[in-house]
Amino acid sequence: MGQLLKVQNFTISSDGIAAGEDQSLERPFGGDIEPQKLFAWAGATASWPNRTDPGGSRGLDDYFTRDFSRDIGAEIMGRNKFGPQRGPWEDHEWQGWWGDEPPFHTPVFVLTHHPRPSFTLSDTTFHFVGGEPAEVLEQAKEAARGKDVRLGGGVTTIKEFLEAGLVDTLHVVVNPVRIGEGLRLWDAPEDLEDRYHHEAVPSASGVTHHIFWRD
């Protein structure tokens, strides 16, 4: 099938919201969104990478958590996922939310209209790129060296690549919490059924995994 562009484990509320507005250092997801609550399904699994105690759930949620990094050679993310700064980069000291050991372990391409030099933390190199989605995807595929590319978000970036027809597979986790206001991925998952096959699989944790793929 060649290299794929994949959205994995992208978690939204039951009303389709993935992030709030007014993002800040204190509120990486913006608004009143509590990421610990939104991503509790993954944090409860045995394969959650930040787990410090033994145990954790097995089953469907654990499978998707464990599969997250398999055969991924690069990531594309929007600037808002990288950090809360807007406009020209005034603070080059800011190197993302993740500290000295980012969880990506691949080249990461951060979409931005403002140039900034690449830098490396551990085994992750961040590149800051502009251009159309197809151009950025070609850069990421080359860096991935034959492996797949993950489209990491946020919601605005995913919608942009969906509208460009570039996303090959999409895995969206719907958490039954309601948020009310924020950046919405969809009004309903059926919005994508004109372009993708779609299967919804409920989990014992209460979330529903929506898997989209195309021929």
Side-chain angles (χ1 to χ4, degrees):
M1 292 181 64
Q3 290 174 282
L4 301 178
L5 179 62
K6 308 166 81 171
V7 175
Q8 298 175 289
N9 298 4
F10 192 72
T11 304
I12 64 175
S13 65
S14 61
D15 46 353
I17 293 170
E21 302 193 6
D22 301 319
Q23 181 191 41
S24 67
L25 281 171
E26 295 74 25
R27 288 283 184 177
F29 281 72
D32 295 325
I33 294 177
E34 300 178 23
Q36 295 86 350
K37 182 180 293 187
L38 195 62
F39 292 94
W41 71 272
T45 65
S47 298
W48 180 243
N50 295 329
R51 174 169 294 283
T52 57
D53 57 322
S57 66
R58 296 291 184 179
L60 188 61
D61 294 349
D62 187 64
Y63 167 78
F64 282 114
T65 303
R66 188 173 65 250
D67 193 57
F68 184 69
S69 296
R70 184 176 63 85
D71 206 36
I72 296 295
E75 169 146 346
I76 298 169
M77 68 172 64
R79 180 168 173 175
N80 290 5
K81 180 175 177 179
F82 179 78
Q85 297 184 58
R86 304 292 183 267
W89 296 95
E90 297 178 357
D91 180 10
H92 283 209
E93 295 297 315
W94 173 263
Q95 296 185 319
W97 307 103
W98 305 281
D100 294 333
E101 294 283 343
F104 307 104
H105 313 296
T106 67
V108 175
F109 293 81
V110 181
L111 302 175
T112 177
H113 298 296
H114 301 279
R116 173 175 174 168
S118 301
F119 66 85
T120 300
L121 293 172
S122 186
D123 56 357
T124 298
T125 298
F126 291 92
H127 303 285
F128 300 86
V129 297
E132 295 299 315
E135 298 170 350
V136 176
L137 179 57
E138 282 307 307
Q139 293 180 63
K141 282 184 173 180
E142 183 176 353
R145 298 175 180 268
K147 293 185 176 182
D148 294 331
V149 177
R150 182 193 301 120
L151 184 61
V155 63
T156 302
T157 298
I158 289 176
K159 291 175 75 171
E160 184 179 6
F161 278 75
L162 283 170
E163 289 167 6
L166 297 173
V167 178
D168 296 298
T169 66
L170 184 77
H171 168 227
V172 178
V173 185
V174 176
N175 188 312
V177 302
R178 288 185 64 83
I179 293 174
E181 295 184 1
L183 301 177
R184 194 180 304 275
L185 178 65
W186 59 38
D187 291 322
E190 289 74 22
D191 293 349
L192 299 180
E193 290 183 351
D194 61 333
R195 288 166 280 172
Y196 294 93
H197 302 287
H198 171 215
E199 186 169 341
V201 185
S203 168
S205 65
V207 304
T208 300
H209 296 273
H210 291 264
I211 301 114
F212 301 84
W213 71 98
R214 57 187 183 183
D215 296 325

